[in-house]
Amino acid sequence: MTLTEKDSQYLWHPYTQHKTSQAPIAISKGEGALLWDENGKEYIDAIASWWVNPFGHSNKFIADAIYKQLTTLEHVLFGGFTHEPAIKVAERLMEILPKNQQKIFFSDNGSTAVEVAIKVALQYFFNKNEKRTTIIAFENAFHGDTFAAMAASGISFYTQAFQGMFIDVVRIPVPVKGNEQESFDALNNVIQNHNCAGFIFEPLVQGAAGMVMYEPEALATLIKICRENKVLTIADEVMTGFGKTGKTFAMDYVSENPDMICLSKALTGGTIPMAITTFTQEVFDAFYDDDINKALFHGHTFTANPTGCAAALASMDLLQTEEMQANIERINASHLIFQKKIENHSKVFTASTLGVIFVVEIKSDSEESYYGSMRNKLYDFFIEKGVILRPVGNIVYILPPYIMTSEQLEKVYKTIEEAIEMV
Ligand SMILES: *Cc1c(COP(=O)(O)O)cnc(C)c1O
């Protein structure tokens, strides 16, 4: 039996209707931006394996750091204990995060980072004896698949089975170009009519919605409105963090700072699942009390796993090298050239670039659903050509590992051009 055959006997895959979808491809090796399947076919990983892997597969530098940590202290509980790797991660993050972020809380994945932020926003007001229970989120947001994260997510595809079982979330429009005032008005309106605790958003780019982009000035205005009304702001940088937008964090483009930031995905360079939620001192202080009931009773068994911390430290080392920063700039420059080339194509609706993220929306006669027919046709075409891209409806985006070579990138562009001709 092939790996693929054995897989179908036992395994249940994410976001997969097993009755109608094709069997998964068994990958046996990865190096740099390349992956190989069990038959030796080569693929370019043009989405960094769901946005987690900036420095390439099987990265030796991170692997060495992990091995060293595994053979020194692989894990220790974080309740009542601490360790140097966690402290070093905190110190490193303090150097690169927006200056108002002062405390960090570890968890395991993007959803838990969001879950922690939302619980903290709600308990912050509970601890102050203020009744504020509504969370504000954007339309078509994606914040993860656990319950509070799912409640904040606006892509109905993922959440329809659970409607009516969620915490109280009110949605406002995304301030895309031309829609800014509508978004500001909606926020003011929601704040006036609900007891709002927090506003969660994906800064500048809504990833799962299909890389929907909006301007930093608009986000600054929304954050200002929240601050004036004492609504806590949560920047979900799970996708955008660690260089994707061209700066270390998307919030580095924004003149206002958030109260909390969620990090995961590229945090460990795509090696070990780990997440962090960061807070201002002011948020932390609302939990700091003689009363034990005011503490944050949230934790995960593998909180601050030292091996994950070692991977995060090695990843931050790599991100901050001149070479990696030059790679990010090279990919950005190359995307901009490709964008110019195809944005006037008769079949292209729009194309945009931010940092290493490139997105093109293909014209379509019908409303394309998330996993609709155009999406499947495009996906199958890319796979056949040995390029891993996961279109969202009629939207195709590239989010390459930063180490992707110019030749590999050219092949990705060429394949996208062919796909546009094909559909
Ligand atoms: C992927 C993602 C999440 C969820 O992260 P998981 O690790 O899949 O739980 C949350 N927020 C954003 C913005 C994401 O892109």
Side-chain angles (χ1 to χ4, degrees):
M1 273 206 284
T2 64
L3 288 176
T4 298
E5 282 161 357
K6 285 186 194 166
D7 173 282
S8 70
Q9 201 172 343
Y10 302 111
L11 293 167
W12 194 343
H13 286 260
Y15 308 120
T16 301
Q17 173 49 270
H18 280 273
K19 184 159 187 194
T20 55
S21 53
Q22 290 163 8
I25 297 163
I27 297 296
S28 45
K29 188 176 148 63
E31 196 183 319
L34 298 177
L35 293 165
W36 289 271
D37 73 14
E38 61 178 329
N39 303 313
K41 179 172 172 179
E42 184 179 288
Y43 299 85
I44 298 178
D45 184 356
I47 55 167
S49 281
W50 266 343
W51 323 336
V52 299
N53 190 315
F55 314 120
H57 291 283
S58 313
N59 183 286
K60 289 277 181 295
F61 183 74
I62 303 175
D64 286 345
I66 288 173
Y67 180 78
K68 204 164 154 228
Q69 189 59 47
L70 277 174
T71 49
T72 310
L73 174 67
E74 86 302 345
H75 182 66
V76 62
L77 71 166
F78 210 56
F81 294 87
T82 192
H83 50 77
E84 193 176 27
I87 292 162
K88 278 188 166 166
V89 167
E91 285 175 342
R92 269 314 262 290
L93 282 173
M94 289 308 134
E95 288 167 15
I96 58 176
L97 279 167
K99 287 285 163 277
N100 70 336
Q101 300 300 303
Q102 295 291 321
K103 293 283 185 236
I104 84 166
F105 189 93
F106 284 95
S107 63
D108 304 337
N109 58 66
S111 303
T112 56
V114 167
E115 209 76 19
V116 168
I118 290 177
K119 283 176 72 174
V120 164
L122 296 171
Q123 191 180 338
Y124 172 92
F125 289 105
F126 178 86
N127 283 358
K128 289 175 180 283
N129 273 319
E130 271 187 67
K131 193 183 159 6
R132 291 201 188 214
T133 53
T134 298
I135 298 294
I136 308 161
F138 278 138
E139 287 166 2
N140 283 322
F142 181 74
H143 297 293
D145 291 337
T146 55
F147 251 79
M150 192 169 50
S153 296
I155 301 172
S156 60
F157 204 84
Y158 292 92
T159 60
Q160 57 192 11
F162 312 102
Q163 291 305 323
M165 304 172 210
F166 290 138
I167 57 162
D168 191 11
V169 172
V170 179
R171 244 165 261 297
I172 63 168
V174 186
V176 290
K177 269 210 182 73
N179 250 17
E180 291 93 341
Q181 195 57 46
E182 197 192 322
S183 179
F184 305 157
D185 293 348
L187 180 62
N188 275 311
N189 199 26
V190 171
I191 290 174
Q192 238 118 75
N193 293 299
H194 296 79
N195 297 317
C196 296
F199 168 41
I200 184 164
F201 51 86
E202 294 159 89
L204 308 192
V205 193
Q206 290 187 297
M211 302 296 161
V212 173
M213 296 180 187
Y214 61 96
E215 297 295 318
E217 294 73 22
L219 182 54
T221 303
L222 293 171
I223 293 175
K224 239 190 225 148
I225 294 171
C226 286
R227 169 140 345 100
E228 283 159 9
N229 291 281
K230 299 195 161 54
V231 173
L232 295 172
T233 50
I234 305 165
D236 179 355
E237 293 243 19
V238 168
M239 188 281 283
T240 49
F242 302 102
K244 312 275 184 44
T245 64
K247 297 200 183 204
T248 305
F249 300 107
M251 289 311 295
D252 294 342
Y253 288 95
V254 182
S255 59
E256 300 287 325
N257 288 328
D259 296 298
M260 309 180 214
I261 298 178
C262 305
L263 304 170
S264 187
K265 291 209 165 104
L267 170 64
T268 60
T271 57
I272 292 181
M274 175 169 253
I276 287 173
T277 315
T278 75
F279 306 94
T280 60
Q281 187 67 41
E282 206 259 326
V283 168
F284 179 82
D285 287 346
F287 293 72
Y288 189 80
D289 202 278
D290 291 322
D291 181 359
I292 187 168
N293 292 305
K294 291 198 172 173
L296 178 64
F297 281 100
H298 186 106
H300 297 281
T301 311
F302 280 98
T303 298
N305 171 253
T307 312
C309 288
L313 287 167
S315 296
M316 284 188 268
D317 282 347
L318 287 175
L319 179 66
Q320 289 176 321
T321 59
E322 265 173 45
E323 187 190 347
M324 207 56 70
Q325 292 300 316
N327 276 331
I328 293 172
E329 281 170 32
R330 168 179 59 86
I331 290 172
N332 177 258
S334 160
H335 281 348
L336 288 169
I337 294 168
F338 181 55
Q339 180 185 330
K340 259 223 158 69
K341 185 174 172 203
I342 69 157
E343 64 191 350
N344 295 320
H345 190 289
S346 62
K347 283 185 167 172
V348 168
F349 187 57
T350 56
S352 336
T353 301
L354 181 66
V356 303
I357 305 168
F358 169 83
V359 57
V360 54
E361 188 170 349
I362 302 170
K363 278 185 191 163
S364 144
D365 300 332
S366 54
E367 176 92 350
E368 288 299 329
S369 70
Y370 214 83
Y371 285 103
S373 61
M374 186 191 272
R375 183 265 175 205
N376 291 340
K377 207 170 157 192
L378 288 165
Y379 180 80
D380 293 345
F381 179 81
F382 294 137
I383 290 296
E384 190 210 310
K385 295 277 175 186
V387 177
I388 300 177
L389 289 165
R390 283 177 69 94
V392 176
N394 56 326
I395 297 167
V396 177
Y397 69 84
I398 313 172
L399 201 167
Y402 309 157
I403 48 73
M404 183 176 282
T405 66
S406 298
E407 292 72 31
Q408 289 162 345
L409 204 48
E410 286 307 321
K411 180 174 173 195
V412 176
Y413 296 149
K414 191 165 151 278
T415 310
I416 290 175
E417 284 183 287
E418 288 169 7
I420 291 171
E421 291 302 332
M422 182 244 355
V423 290

